[in-house]
Amino acid sequence: MTQPPFRIGTAGWNVPSMYFDQVPPGGSHLERYARRLNAVEINSSFHRPHRRTTYQRWAQSVPDDFRFSVKVPKAITHAAGLADCGALLDRFAEEVTGLGCKLGALLVQLPPTSVLGKRLANRFFRDLRARIDIDVVLEPRHASWFAPGVDDWLAQRRIARVAADPARIAGAGAPGGWNKLAYYRWHGSPRIYYSDYGATALAALKRHLEDRARESSTWCIFDNTTSGAALGNALTLARSLQRQR
């Protein structure tokens, strides 16, 4: 099966009432969502574990070409700080591989206090890949991860770096690391998690995605879900990209 040139979605698949008329009726929120968008980011996994059977049920609810990205639990990234988390990785891998071939990527978001330690990070990414051989994208939020040479270090390990909006650190707004995966994660700007993106911002984003898609698997996830704006932004962007195909 040919992979779609873009994967557009939101953090979670809730369908706010204001968008009920833009998604087909019938079925669960996930089933309705998946009839209009081809990807979603599971954020709830960051806060709590899900049973393997739950992931399997989600996978069975969506079309064959739909893909999930899944956020690695904060018990690993924040509490353990990537260290000595073999048992936690074992549990996560057993659960999330219930998605089967519909698991498209893993998101590793680090706390703002997480300084790059190459030996620790190398061991963690090696252990993660040994359990789940899938694309990995990193969202670091400390300046040490944006120092000269770090992008090359990530690329050597096939780790992509998120293009975040708003970008709190110089360079964080553009994809980095491994260039075969571009993962845009737009949180809402100027008010993070709330602000709706207007036509000008979405048009600029569309151009970035089209440029990256020439060489990369290209994702865009809207995380401005608190106000319900994410789904509207994703639907608008997806329609705009489809008109160009």
Side-chain angles (χ1 to χ4, degrees):
M1 179 181 296
T2 302
Q3 178 173 301
F6 307 102
R7 293 209 174 274
I8 310 299
T10 65
W13 51 75
N14 181 55
V15 179
S17 59
M18 68 184 95
Y19 299 117
F20 276 179
D21 63 342
Q22 297 190 41
V23 296
S28 67
H29 277 242
L30 175 57
E31 289 170 321
R32 298 182 68 189
Y33 170 105
R35 296 184 191 123
R36 283 289 178 265
L37 298 169
N38 65 0
V40 74
E41 183 182 279
I42 298 177
N43 265 232
S44 55
S45 55
F46 180 71
H47 300 285
R48 62 185 185 278
H50 298 298
R51 295 178 180 176
R52 182 180 179 86
T53 53
T54 298
Y55 283 111
Q56 290 172 331
R57 174 167 51 83
W58 289 338
Q60 292 164 3
S61 300
V62 298
D64 289 344
D65 66 348
F66 190 94
R67 293 294 180 268
F68 297 84
S69 67
V70 183
K71 195 171 182 180
V72 172
K74 66 179 180 180
I76 294 171
T77 57
H78 290 52
L82 308 184
D84 301 323
C85 49
L88 292 169
L89 285 173
D90 287 341
R91 176 177 180 174
F92 178 61
E94 167 61 22
E95 294 164 350
V96 76
T97 51
L99 290 172
C101 64
K102 293 175 185 175
L103 174 60
L106 296 176
L107 170 66
V108 179
Q109 185 192 61
L110 299 179
T113 55
S114 183
V115 178
L116 170 60
K118 288 185 177 179
R119 181 177 297 179
L120 173 63
N122 187 62
R123 185 183 305 116
F124 169 75
F125 287 124
R126 181 196 64 204
D127 291 348
L128 177 62
R129 274 258 171 68
R131 291 163 171 83
I132 314 171
D133 188 15
I134 199 71
D135 287 350
V136 176
V137 60
L138 174 70
E139 186 174 20
R141 292 179 288 173
H142 188 275
S144 60
W145 290 90
F146 298 86
V150 175
D151 266 356
D152 290 340
W153 184 86
L154 290 170
Q156 290 167 7
R157 288 154 181 80
R158 291 176 43 237
I159 307 297
R161 178 171 51 74
V162 161
D165 186 80
R168 300 182 178 185
I169 299 170
W178 188 50
N179 66 2
K180 297 304 179 184
L181 172 63
Y183 195 104
Y184 290 77
R185 199 163 190 256
W186 277 33
H187 299 285
S189 180
R191 190 181 182 194
I192 194 168
Y193 306 130
Y194 283 86
S195 292
D196 192 6
Y197 287 105
T200 300
L202 293 177
L205 175 57
K206 174 177 175 287
R207 291 192 295 271
H208 288 306
L209 295 180
E210 290 171 334
D211 287 343
R212 297 298 303 201
R214 296 188 180 99
E215 63 180 22
S216 307
S217 171
T218 306
W219 291 61
C220 182
I221 297 294
F222 290 95
D223 190 30
N224 49 336
T225 54
T226 303
S227 66
L231 184 58
N233 290 161
L235 290 169
T236 298
L237 179 62
R239 286 194 295 264
S240 177
L241 289 165
Q242 287 169 357
R243 284 197 294 269
Q244 301 301 314
R245 293 174 61 185

